[in-house]
């Protein structure tokens, strides 16, 4: 049975949901982690104003993502909740007024718990949207989203090659990855129109040849898949 991970952060969802449903409002000061080195902080920063809840997120690649359109997306999605100045030591902060929510409170737990998802999605939305609109260039977009691992997007005409750089602590892990990814190749034989998947180890794919931002070629594996406009419509 396949395990499907949620897009949103379950802990953040439950905290915000409980905050709206519980009549008693205690002081909040909760710090927790998500995948990819993400940290969240949920707090009531003024004990006299317990209706105001601050949600902050820290992620090493946020500055890159903001340059690639994430800031504009967050303004559209979160409106007045997005703070111009984030909490100290964090990259982005939302302020939720429980007494005067900007929309139906039933929608806010999911919306707020998707904060990481919305930040990360921005460059993909931009590149994929340009492909659908026939306005894509050929400039490679790189996102150093976790330690010594990166994602590269290379648009070209009506397609985009998405490349994941994956760090392996041991050579055996790379062998397991190759076996696992071979399943994608085998499954593709019985399915029509699905993206092609390719894996290389300690060898960058040709799409990244001469790219100055390429990192960790000597230690990482690379998973490449090509998506076309018909996959995006």
């Amino acid at each position: 049975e396949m395990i499907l991970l949620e897009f949103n952060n379950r802990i953040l969802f439950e905290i915000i949901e409980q905050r709206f449903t519980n009549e008693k409002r205690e002081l909040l000061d909760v710090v927790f982690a998500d995948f990819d080195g993400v940290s969240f902080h949920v707090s009531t920063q003024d004990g006299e104003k317990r209706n105001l809840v601050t949600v902050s997120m820290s992620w090493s690649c946020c500055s890159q993502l903001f340059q690639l359109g994430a800031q504009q997306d967050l303004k559209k999605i979160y409106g007045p909740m997005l703070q111009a100045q984030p909490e100290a030591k964090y990259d982005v902060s939302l302020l939720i007024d429980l007494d005067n929510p900007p929309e139906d409170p039933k929608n806010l737990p999911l919306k707020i718990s998707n904060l990481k998802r919305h930040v990360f999605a921005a460059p993909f939305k931009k590149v994929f949207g340009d492909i659908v609109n026939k306005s894509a260039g050929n400039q490679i977009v790189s996102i150093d989203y976790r330690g010594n691992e990166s994602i590269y997007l290379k648009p070209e005409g009506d397609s985009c090659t998405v490349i994941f750089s994956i760090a392996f602590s041991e050579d055996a892990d790379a062998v397991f990855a190759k076996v696992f990814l071979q399943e994608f190749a085998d499954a593709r034989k019985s399915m029509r129109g699905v993206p092609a998947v390719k894996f290389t180890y300690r060898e960058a794919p040709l799409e990244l040849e001469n790219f100055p931002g390429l990192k960790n070629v000597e230690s990482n594996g690379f998973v490449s898949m090509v998506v076309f406009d018909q996959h995006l419509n």
Side-chain angles (χ1 to χ4, degrees):
E1 185 176 349
M2 184 178 295
I3 298 175
L4 299 177
L5 298 178
E6 296 174 306
F7 293 117
N8 63 311
N9 184 284
R10 172 55 58 175
I11 297 174
L12 183 52
F13 178 93
E14 292 179 353
I15 290 174
I16 300 301
E17 185 178 51
Q18 290 170 6
R19 204 65 180 179
F20 273 113
T21 56
N22 289 351
E23 293 183 5
K24 186 178 180 181
R25 294 174 178 172
E26 298 180 349
L27 288 174
L28 268 176
D29 187 14
V30 184
V31 177
F32 54 97
D34 201 342
F35 296 108
D36 307 320
V38 171
S39 294
F40 284 104
H41 182 210
V42 185
S43 60
T44 45
Q45 300 194 359
D46 186 340
E48 299 300 316
K49 298 180 181 179
R50 300 189 183 193
N51 60 305
L52 299 180
V53 177
T54 299
V55 175
S56 299
M57 184 182 77
S58 172
W59 195 3
S60 61
C61 65
C62 267
S63 59
Q64 280 183 305
L65 294 168
F66 289 157
Q67 294 174 8
L68 296 170
Q71 192 74 34
Q72 290 81 356
D73 274 9
L74 293 182
K75 289 179 181 178
K76 293 177 184 177
I77 295 167
Y78 294 106
M81 290 188 290
L82 181 66
Q83 299 300 286
Q85 184 65 40
E87 180 183 353
K89 299 183 180 180
Y90 288 86
D91 299 296
V92 58
S93 293
L94 305 176
L95 183 64
I96 303 98
D97 186 342
L98 302 174
D99 292 339
N100 297 286
E103 59 184 84
D104 189 340
K106 293 180 181 179
N107 298 330
L108 285 176
L110 181 60
K111 187 172 187 175
I112 293 168
S113 63
N114 267 319
L115 177 60
K116 176 191 172 186
R117 182 265 176 206
H118 291 313
V119 172
F120 195 43
F124 293 87
K125 289 168 63 178
K126 174 67 169 63
V127 172
F128 293 166
D130 287 345
I131 290 173
V132 172
N133 295 324
K134 311 296 183 184
S135 59
N138 57 5
Q139 184 176 358
I140 296 175
V141 174
S142 64
I143 308 164
D144 303 321
Y145 74 105
R146 180 172 63 189
N148 57 348
E149 297 181 320
S150 305
I151 294 176
Y152 305 92
L153 306 175
K154 185 179 181 181
E156 191 169 359
D158 63 349
S159 68
C160 177
T161 303
V162 182
I163 302 167
F164 297 83
S165 171
I166 304 174
F168 295 107
S169 58
E170 299 180 5
D171 289 344
D173 293 337
V175 174
F176 290 132
K178 186 174 182 179
V179 172
F180 175 78
L181 291 166
Q182 184 61 41
E183 293 294 325
F184 283 91
D186 294 341
R188 186 170 180 265
K189 296 176 183 178
S190 59
M191 303 172 69
R192 298 181 61 185
V194 298
V197 179
K198 182 176 62 175
F199 175 72
T200 60
Y201 183 45
R202 294 178 176 173
E203 179 183 356
L206 293 176
E207 290 85 357
L208 297 179
E209 189 175 15
N210 299 321
F211 178 59
L214 187 59
K215 300 177 181 179
N216 304 304
V217 176
E218 68 284 350
S219 60
N220 285 17
F222 295 85
V223 178
S224 308
M225 59 184 70
V226 183
V227 293
F228 288 88
D229 54 358
Q230 65 262 29
H231 298 129
L232 305 173
N233 284 314

